[in-house]
PDB file of all heavy atoms in Angstrom:
ATOM      1  N   ARG F  77     -34.210 -14.058 -31.090  1.00 70.00           N
ATOM      2  CA  ARG F  77     -34.259 -12.729 -31.692  1.00 70.00           C
ATOM      3  C   ARG F  77     -33.517 -11.701 -30.847  1.00 70.00           C
ATOM      4  O   ARG F  77     -32.853 -10.808 -31.372  1.00 70.00           O
ATOM      5  CB  ARG F  77     -35.714 -12.292 -31.880  1.00 70.00           C
ATOM      6  CG  ARG F  77     -36.472 -13.092 -32.924  1.00 70.00           C
ATOM      7  CD  ARG F  77     -37.780 -12.397 -33.251  1.00 70.00           C
ATOM      8  NE  ARG F  77     -38.636 -12.294 -32.071  1.00 70.00           N
ATOM      9  CZ  ARG F  77     -39.608 -13.144 -31.776  1.00 70.00           C
ATOM     10  NH1 ARG F  77     -39.827 -14.181 -32.569  1.00 70.00           N
ATOM     11  NH2 ARG F  77     -40.359 -12.980 -30.710  1.00 70.00           N
ATOM     12  N   TYR F 185     -35.308  -2.329 -26.066  1.00 78.00           N
ATOM     13  CA  TYR F 185     -36.117  -3.520 -26.340  1.00 78.00           C
ATOM     14  C   TYR F 185     -35.458  -4.774 -25.766  1.00 78.00           C
ATOM     15  O   TYR F 185     -36.124  -5.630 -25.176  1.00 78.00           O
ATOM     16  CB  TYR F 185     -36.309  -3.666 -27.847  1.00 78.00           C
ATOM     17  CG  TYR F 185     -36.945  -4.974 -28.249  1.00 78.00           C
ATOM     18  CD1 TYR F 185     -38.310  -5.181 -28.113  1.00 78.00           C
ATOM     19  CD2 TYR F 185     -36.164  -6.007 -28.763  1.00 78.00           C
ATOM     20  CE1 TYR F 185     -38.891  -6.383 -28.475  1.00 78.00           C
ATOM     21  CE2 TYR F 185     -36.731  -7.215 -29.127  1.00 78.00           C
ATOM     22  CZ  TYR F 185     -38.095  -7.397 -28.985  1.00 78.00           C
ATOM     23  OH  TYR F 185     -38.655  -8.589 -29.338  1.00 78.00           O
ATOM     24  N   ILE F 188     -35.913  -4.881 -22.019  1.00 77.00           N
ATOM     25  CA  ILE F 188     -37.282  -5.234 -21.638  1.00 77.00           C
ATOM     26  C   ILE F 188     -37.528  -6.730 -21.797  1.00 77.00           C
ATOM     27  O   ILE F 188     -38.187  -7.364 -20.964  1.00 77.00           O
ATOM     28  CB  ILE F 188     -38.287  -4.418 -22.482  1.00 77.00           C
ATOM     29  CG1 ILE F 188     -38.206  -2.943 -22.094  1.00 77.00           C
ATOM     30  CG2 ILE F 188     -39.702  -4.933 -22.287  1.00 77.00           C
ATOM     31  CD1 ILE F 188     -39.059  -2.041 -22.953  1.00 77.00           C
ATOM     32  N   ARG F 189     -36.985  -7.316 -22.849  1.00 75.00           N
ATOM     33  CA  ARG F 189     -37.209  -8.731 -23.110  1.00 75.00           C
ATOM     34  C   ARG F 189     -36.465  -9.628 -22.131  1.00 75.00           C
ATOM     35  O   ARG F 189     -36.959 -10.697 -21.755  1.00 75.00           O
ATOM     36  CB  ARG F 189     -36.768  -9.071 -24.535  1.00 75.00           C
ATOM     37  CG  ARG F 189     -37.725  -8.598 -25.617  1.00 75.00           C
ATOM     38  CD  ARG F 189     -39.028  -9.377 -25.568  1.00 75.00           C
ATOM     39  NE  ARG F 189     -38.794 -10.803 -25.620  1.00 75.00           N
ATOM     40  CZ  ARG F 189     -38.679 -11.516 -26.735  1.00 75.00           C
ATOM     41  NH1 ARG F 189     -38.798 -10.905 -27.905  1.00 75.00           N
ATOM     42  NH2 ARG F 189     -38.471 -12.813 -26.699  1.00 75.00           N
ATOM     43  N   GLU F 190     -35.259  -9.228 -21.718  1.00 73.00           N
ATOM     44  CA  GLU F 190     -34.434 -10.070 -20.860  1.00 73.00           C
ATOM     45  C   GLU F 190     -34.672  -9.744 -19.384  1.00 73.00           C
ATOM     46  O   GLU F 190     -35.213  -8.696 -19.035  1.00 73.00           O
ATOM     47  CB  GLU F 190     -32.953  -9.869 -21.206  1.00 73.00           C
ATOM     48  CG  GLU F 190     -32.595 -10.265 -22.625  1.00 73.00           C
ATOM     49  CD  GLU F 190     -32.713 -11.759 -22.846  1.00 73.00           C
ATOM     50  OE1 GLU F 190     -32.524 -12.527 -21.878  1.00 73.00           O
ATOM     51  OE2 GLU F 190     -33.001 -12.167 -23.988  1.00 73.00           O
ATOM     52  N   ILE F 296     -41.437  -3.625 -30.392  1.00 78.00           N
ATOM     53  CA  ILE F 296     -42.383  -4.326 -29.523  1.00 78.00           C
ATOM     54  C   ILE F 296     -43.594  -4.797 -30.320  1.00 78.00           C
ATOM     55  O   ILE F 296     -44.058  -5.940 -30.168  1.00 78.00           O
ATOM     56  CB  ILE F 296     -42.806  -3.405 -28.360  1.00 78.00           C
ATOM     57  CG1 ILE F 296     -41.620  -3.167 -27.419  1.00 78.00           C
ATOM     58  CG2 ILE F 296     -43.976  -4.010 -27.596  1.00 78.00           C
ATOM     59  CD1 ILE F 296     -41.914  -2.197 -26.302  1.00 78.00           C
ATOM     60  N   TYR F 299     -42.337  -7.769 -32.886  1.00 65.00           N
ATOM     61  CA  TYR F 299     -41.898  -9.055 -32.340  1.00 65.00           C
ATOM     62  C   TYR F 299     -42.798  -9.589 -31.227  1.00 65.00           C
ATOM     63  O   TYR F 299     -42.839 -10.786 -30.980  1.00 65.00           O
ATOM     64  CB  TYR F 299     -40.464  -8.938 -31.812  1.00 65.00           C
ATOM     65  CG  TYR F 299     -39.449  -8.760 -32.906  1.00 65.00           C
ATOM     66  CD1 TYR F 299     -38.843  -7.530 -33.125  1.00 65.00           C
ATOM     67  CD2 TYR F 299     -39.103  -9.818 -33.735  1.00 65.00           C
ATOM     68  CE1 TYR F 299     -37.910  -7.361 -34.133  1.00 65.00           C
ATOM     69  CE2 TYR F 299     -38.174  -9.660 -34.748  1.00 65.00           C
ATOM     70  CZ  TYR F 299     -37.582  -8.433 -34.942  1.00 65.00           C
ATOM     71  OH  TYR F 299     -36.663  -8.267 -35.943  1.00 65.00           O
ATOM     72  N   ASP F 300     -43.498  -8.705 -30.545  1.00 63.00           N
ATOM     73  CA  ASP F 300     -44.307  -9.155 -29.415  1.00 63.00           C
ATOM     74  C   ASP F 300     -45.796  -8.956 -29.637  1.00 63.00           C
ATOM     75  O   ASP F 300     -46.598  -9.228 -28.749  1.00 63.00           O
ATOM     76  CB  ASP F 300     -43.894  -8.418 -28.136  1.00 63.00           C
ATOM     77  CG  ASP F 300     -42.468  -8.751 -27.749  1.00 63.00           C
ATOM     78  OD1 ASP F 300     -42.004  -9.846 -28.122  1.00 63.00           O
ATOM     79  OD2 ASP F 300     -41.818  -7.929 -27.092  1.00 63.00           O
ATOM     80  N   GLY F 301     -46.166  -8.435 -30.769  1.00 58.00           N
ATOM     81  CA  GLY F 301     -47.583  -8.227 -31.037  1.00 58.00           C
ATOM     82  C   GLY F 301     -48.222  -7.211 -30.126  1.00 58.00           C
ATOM     83  O   GLY F 301     -49.420  -7.253 -29.854  1.00 58.00           O
ATOM     84  N   GLY F 302     -47.373  -6.274 -29.610  1.00 48.00           N
ATOM     85  CA  GLY F 302     -47.904  -5.224 -28.745  1.00 48.00           C
ATOM     86  C   GLY F 302     -47.956  -5.601 -27.286  1.00 48.00           C
ATOM     87  O   GLY F 302     -48.379  -4.810 -26.455  1.00 48.00           O
ATOM     88  N   ASN F 303     -47.508  -6.793 -26.909  1.00 50.00           N
ATOM     89  CA  ASN F 303     -47.539  -7.221 -25.508  1.00 50.00           C
ATOM     90  C   ASN F 303     -46.120  -7.339 -24.987  1.00 50.00           C
ATOM     91  O   ASN F 303     -45.261  -7.954 -25.627  1.00 50.00           O
ATOM     92  CB  ASN F 303     -48.230  -8.583 -25.372  1.00 50.00           C
ATOM     93  CG  ASN F 303     -49.682  -8.512 -25.796  1.00 50.00           C
ATOM     94  OD1 ASN F 303     -50.374  -7.542 -25.488  1.00 50.00           O
ATOM     95  ND2 ASN F 303     -50.130  -9.541 -26.511  1.00 50.00           N
ATOM     96  N   LEU F 304     -45.854  -6.776 -23.831  1.00 45.00           N
ATOM     97  CA  LEU F 304     -44.544  -6.858 -23.205  1.00 45.00           C
ATOM     98  C   LEU F 304     -44.456  -8.164 -22.439  1.00 45.00           C
ATOM     99  O   LEU F 304     -44.805  -8.251 -21.265  1.00 45.00           O
ATOM    100  CB  LEU F 304     -44.319  -5.660 -22.261  1.00 45.00           C
ATOM    101  CG  LEU F 304     -44.256  -4.296 -22.932  1.00 45.00           C
ATOM    102  CD1 LEU F 304     -44.080  -3.220 -21.875  1.00 45.00           C
ATOM    103  CD2 LEU F 304     -43.163  -4.243 -23.969  1.00 45.00           C
ATOM    104  N   VAL F 305     -44.000  -9.215 -23.124  1.00 43.00           N
ATOM    105  CA  VAL F 305     -43.879 -10.517 -22.493  1.00 43.00           C
ATOM    106  C   VAL F 305     -42.454 -10.982 -22.616  1.00 43.00           C
ATOM    107  O   VAL F 305     -41.698 -10.522 -23.430  1.00 43.00           O
ATOM    108  CB  VAL F 305     -44.834 -11.519 -23.149  1.00 43.00           C
ATOM    109  CG1 VAL F 305     -46.263 -11.137 -22.878  1.00 43.00           C
ATOM    110  CG2 VAL F 305     -44.582 -11.643 -24.638  1.00 43.00           C
TER     111      VAL F 305
END
Side-chain angles (χ1 to χ4, degrees):
R77 292 192 299 264
Y185 171 78
I188 292 175
R189 285 291 306 273
E190 298 292 331
I296 292 176
Y299 291 106
D300 296 334
N303 297 319
L304 295 178
V305 293

